[in-house]
Amino acid sequence: MNLAAATNENLAQISNVLIYSAMAVYTLAFFAHIAEWLFGSRSKVSRTAAALTDKGAATREAPAVTVKSKGGTAVLERPKVVTRSASGTRDVPDGPGAHGGDEQGDLYGRIAVSLTVLAFLVEAGGVLTRALSVQRAPWGNMYEFNITFSTVAVGVYLALLVLKKNVRWMGLPLVTTVLLDLGLAVTVLYTASDQLVPALHSYWLWIHVSTAIFCGAVFYVGAVGTLLYLFRDSYENKLANGGQPGRFATSVMERLPAAATLDKFSYRVNAAVFPLWTFTIIAGAIWAGDAWGRYWGWDPKETWSFITWVAYACYLHARATAGWKGRKAAYLALIAFGCWLFNYYGVNIFVTGKHSYAGV
């Protein structure tokens, strides 16, 4: 074995160690997020119920969330009163977050974010060393795509936090999903470092696949917001109709942003990345022309990429149509993300086509 081959093998082993290390840190972040939710105070979760029944809620500012600390009072967050973007006229405040206004819960939440940042850096190091071990873009098979996808998804979440967006409620579902994704990658999808088939030796690999990964990560963030919107909207509807949700549902739902906020967040995220997904398909077509001598051949991957594009186009159109706002549009958004997931997992594993060059 020559020196270069030995170096590449060592880098591949380092990459594996870093990925497993990232999983360990993500696990710690998972438990910290659980602690944040557990310590969240249930004494402050009546804010939304009060706003739904108080006719004057829209005319005053929601109270700040305060907690007593040694020698003083700490103000954690001030929920904002927002108007539902779906059908209806209710004005409800955003929840205080997973910590529920509890100082100890907020501390665990900050620890969880710090651990997530550390895990992100370690995982990014694993992706980088994987690329160095094969001296190419680390997107040649499903294992490499998975570890890169989860890294980018966490990066999008952390970027939103840096931009002061109220998305810390996404921490627990995000870390849970990342752990499942990495677990699947290292057990079922793992593929040893190897070189690419000739068709993939192109600068379009960097352009087409990188944008596909980024779009998938952003679509995932939008899907989480959409799913939570459906739960929160059902909860608000039940309260508005005089129903009494269970204690657990009340404790969780009251800490989330209002349904209107989640609806608006998901729409903006999906709308922002949709043009880039359009570019991804165009870039793939150009690459196909260079590699196979034709721009479009209705290969299963190409077909499902187009189906995903149509599904998100329908969602964005429905979201802008008065009669389809709210829950109907949200269902379309989840169907669209489901198409994206099948395009990656289903097509790659169960369907044979020109994009089956890398196996798993």
Side-chain angles (χ1 to χ4, degrees):
M1 181 182 294
N2 58 40
L3 180 60
T7 300
N8 291 340
E9 184 177 346
N10 289 335
L11 286 172
Q13 293 175 354
I14 292 173
S15 174
N16 294 340
V17 171
L18 289 174
I19 295 300
Y20 278 104
S21 299
M23 293 177 65
V25 182
Y26 278 127
T27 301
L28 294 177
F30 170 80
F31 285 115
H33 275 300
I34 291 292
E36 178 186 19
W37 282 93
L38 289 178
F39 280 99
S41 172
R42 295 184 179 184
S43 62
K44 301 177 177 64
V45 298
S46 61
R47 226 176 349 262
T48 299
L52 290 171
T53 56
D54 188 350
K55 295 181 180 179
T59 63
R60 64 173 183 270
E61 185 175 73
V65 178
T66 60
V67 294
K68 296 295 182 180
S69 59
K70 296 180 180 179
T73 301
V75 179
L76 295 182
E77 293 182 25
R78 180 184 295 276
K80 296 179 180 180
V81 174
V82 295
T83 303
R84 300 179 74 224
S85 55
S87 58
T89 57
R90 296 197 304 268
D91 295 327
V92 297
D94 286 341
H99 55 72
D102 180 81
E103 188 176 24
Q104 191 170 13
D106 182 65
L107 174 62
Y108 278 108
R110 295 178 187 276
I111 292 174
V113 172
S114 299
L115 289 170
T116 302
V117 172
L118 177 59
F120 166 76
L121 295 175
V122 174
E123 186 181 9
V127 174
L128 177 60
T129 51
R130 175 77 176 198
L132 293 175
S133 71
V134 290
Q135 300 179 1
R136 58 167 172 78
W139 311 316
N141 50 62
M142 290 183 68
Y143 168 75
E144 294 174 353
F145 192 101
N146 262 42
I147 62 176
T148 306
F149 169 76
S150 58
T151 304
V152 176
V154 175
V156 171
Y157 165 70
L158 295 177
L160 291 173
L161 288 178
V162 170
L163 294 173
K164 307 296 183 182
K165 302 299 181 181
N166 176 24
V167 295
R168 210 168 87 181
W169 45 268
M170 191 181 295
L172 181 58
L174 173 72
V175 170
T176 303
T177 306
V178 167
L179 282 172
L180 293 173
D181 177 80
L182 291 178
L184 180 66
V186 300
T187 55
V188 178
L189 303 178
Y190 181 77
T191 304
S193 299
D194 200 359
Q195 293 304 312
L196 298 174
V197 296
L200 293 184
H201 285 287
S202 170
Y203 61 89
W204 283 106
L205 173 67
W206 293 90
I207 299 172
H208 172 65
V209 183
S210 64
T211 54
I213 292 173
F214 179 77
C215 288
V218 178
F219 283 147
Y220 163 77
V221 170
V224 173
T226 300
L227 185 62
L228 293 179
Y229 157 74
L230 290 173
F231 284 114
R232 173 76 187 207
D233 187 63
S234 295
Y235 175 78
E236 291 181 9
N237 286 334
K238 190 169 186 177
L239 285 177
N241 293 327
Q244 293 295 327
R247 249 182 109 184
F248 177 78
T250 299
S251 177
V252 173
M253 290 294 108
E254 290 290 341
R255 294 186 241 174
L256 293 176
T261 302
L262 292 170
D263 184 37
K264 186 184 299 182
F265 169 79
S266 302
Y267 170 68
R268 288 178 174 177
V269 165
N270 288 323
V273 80
F274 181 73
L276 187 60
W277 180 248
T278 304
F279 169 79
T280 301
I281 296 176
I282 295 173
I286 296 174
W287 187 11
D290 291 342
W292 300 319
R294 53 90 175 145
Y295 293 103
W296 195 268
W298 295 105
D299 179 77
K301 179 71 71 172
E302 296 168 348
T303 301
W304 276 95
S305 295
F306 179 68
I307 291 174
T308 301
W309 185 90
V310 171
Y312 273 107
C314 290
Y315 160 71
L316 295 176
H317 177 72
R319 184 57 179 69
T321 304
W324 276 80
K325 285 185 178 181
R327 299 185 67 86
K328 292 180 180 179
Y331 292 137
L332 285 178
L334 292 181
I335 291 173
F337 184 67
C339 291
W340 187 90
L341 286 178
F342 182 79
N343 184 36
Y344 176 56
Y345 289 102
V347 172
N348 282 15
I349 295 175
F350 303 111
V351 182
T352 301
K354 283 185 172 294
H355 289 77
S356 303
Y357 37 70
V360 296

